[in-house]
Amino acid sequence: MSEPAEPLHRLANVAPEFRATLAVNGKHAVANITIALPSGQRHIFALDLTEEGGRVSVREAPVGNLLPAFCPDRHVNSDGSFCLGWGEDDPSTILDPEAARRWWSVLVRFLAHQVSANKRRVWPGRENDRAHGAAARHQAVAEPLAAQFGPTFVDDLHGGLLSTRLDNRRRNPRLELYRAGRLIARVSLHSRRLIRDRFLCPCNGPMALPTTRCGTHAQALANFTSALHSWHEEERTFLDNLVTSGQRCCGTLRECGLAAACARVRSLSSRGSAHERHSRSGPPRHHR
């Protein structure tokens, strides 16, 4: 009776179906894969694969120079490995041939996006990306809640039109939810419930009702607002921590979160330095 195939061997068995070759050496493998674009152009990537604990990680081989060494927005981790998915969408556990085919399919789409990013300096499909670090958990909470308010609300979420602001007043701190710059809800941080206002429910139901009277939508919108705020705050913290640890933007995209974090941290540092200089100088002296 033959031994069951290991993850890397499962990948090697179906590699030709994806214009790829894979040479396995124990827990490591080297691969070459051709990405064919609709235009007819072909791009060949050289990759290194590693299997550990049943999971496969992949990165560009040292001989390659098509990808940045690190870019959160392009889903290249700080160690050079590719982030191919998160949670249930992560294809890295390869238990059978179908899982191997799924892994190759995800990799092909990932590398096609990389080719597009190289050319256009924009990461395609950004609206469907997973957030970074712990922010992904809050995203996983926010998105199903957003779906309760209909496809337009979900589109606005993915299009970046929904934002929050913390109103940290002493007696009644609250979160405010904005849609395209317009205030649509307030949530008490004490009760985690909507503050009663006249805002209409964003579900666009057959009857225009205040959110607090629209079935279960009041609590759903309160929970969504909290999750969205935590999502954005965790994302900001993740990127700021990368900058303070010495990571810098690779410059391959016109806009990216890490570049914004670099500017944000630099601004905070400048204000802190100015405050320190002012504190050391003391009050102005009056000369006679």
Side-chain angles (χ1 to χ4, degrees):
M1 184 175 180
S2 61
E3 293 292 325
E6 297 293 333
L8 291 176
H9 289 286
R10 295 188 186 108
L11 290 174
N13 290 339
V14 298
E17 300 175 23
F18 299 88
R19 294 193 177 97
T21 61
L22 188 65
V24 180
N25 183 10
K27 296 291 186 179
H28 301 275
V30 293
N32 284 285
I33 182 169
T34 300
I35 302 301
L37 302 182
S39 64
Q41 289 186 339
R42 294 171 179 258
H43 299 264
I44 300 175
F45 288 85
L47 307 173
D48 283 343
L49 283 69
T50 303
E51 186 266 317
E52 184 175 356
R55 296 171 59 84
V56 173
S57 63
V58 56
R59 55 180 49 79
E60 188 174 27
V63 296
N65 58 358
L66 298 177
L67 303 179
F70 168 63
C71 181
D73 278 34
R74 293 180 63 166
H75 302 279
V76 179
N77 297 321
S78 57
D79 63 355
S81 62
F82 302 162
C83 180
L84 298 180
W86 181 86
E88 294 181 355
D89 294 327
D90 186 353
S92 302
T93 301
I94 302 164
L95 300 177
D96 53 39
E98 286 309 307
R101 290 186 176 92
R102 176 171 176 257
W103 186 90
W104 282 112
S105 296
V106 171
L107 180 66
V108 167
R109 184 170 65 250
F110 175 88
L111 293 176
H113 282 181
Q114 297 292 349
V115 171
S116 177
N118 283 344
K119 290 185 174 182
R120 301 179 181 178
R121 302 192 65 205
V122 174
W123 180 253
R126 184 187 297 271
E127 67 276 6
N128 296 318
D129 278 352
R130 304 306 308 176
H132 303 108
R137 293 199 298 268
H138 300 293
Q139 181 182 5
V141 173
E143 288 179 331
L145 289 168
Q148 296 187 33
F149 298 94
T152 302
F153 194 80
V154 173
D155 289 343
D156 286 351
L157 170 63
H158 291 158
L161 297 181
L162 297 173
S163 61
T164 61
R165 187 181 78 89
L166 176 62
D167 182 356
N168 205 12
R169 60 185 65 194
R170 182 179 299 177
R171 292 187 178 180
N172 189 17
R174 60 188 68 178
L175 282 177
E176 296 178 340
L177 177 64
Y178 290 83
R179 186 179 192 180
R182 183 173 63 87
L183 181 64
I184 64 170
R186 293 187 179 96
V187 179
S188 168
L189 291 183
H190 290 321
S191 67
R192 297 289 174 178
R193 295 179 180 275
L194 286 187
I195 295 172
R196 288 189 176 273
D197 282 310
R198 297 180 179 179
F199 299 119
L200 296 179
C201 185
C203 70
N204 294 327
M207 296 180 61
L209 294 174
T211 310
T212 51
R213 293 172 48 201
C214 192
T216 61
H217 283 175
Q219 195 57 50
L221 192 61
N223 294 343
F224 169 80
T225 302
S226 296
L228 180 67
H229 184 73
S230 296
W231 169 3
H232 290 170
E233 287 298 300
E234 289 283 0
E235 181 94 355
R236 183 189 300 262
T237 298
F238 174 87
L239 293 171
D240 287 356
N241 287 342
L242 286 175
V243 174
T244 55
S245 69
Q247 297 285 2
R248 291 296 178 265
C249 174
C250 64
T252 60
L253 300 179
R254 286 200 294 266
E255 296 180 3
C256 80
L258 193 58
C262 286
R264 187 165 55 244
V265 171
R266 187 164 53 245
S267 175
L268 291 173
S269 177
S270 298
R271 289 205 297 268
S273 298
H275 177 73
E276 184 180 353
R277 288 195 301 271
H278 177 74
S279 299
R280 285 201 304 265
S281 66
R285 296 181 179 181
H286 298 280
H287 297 280
R288 294 182 180 177

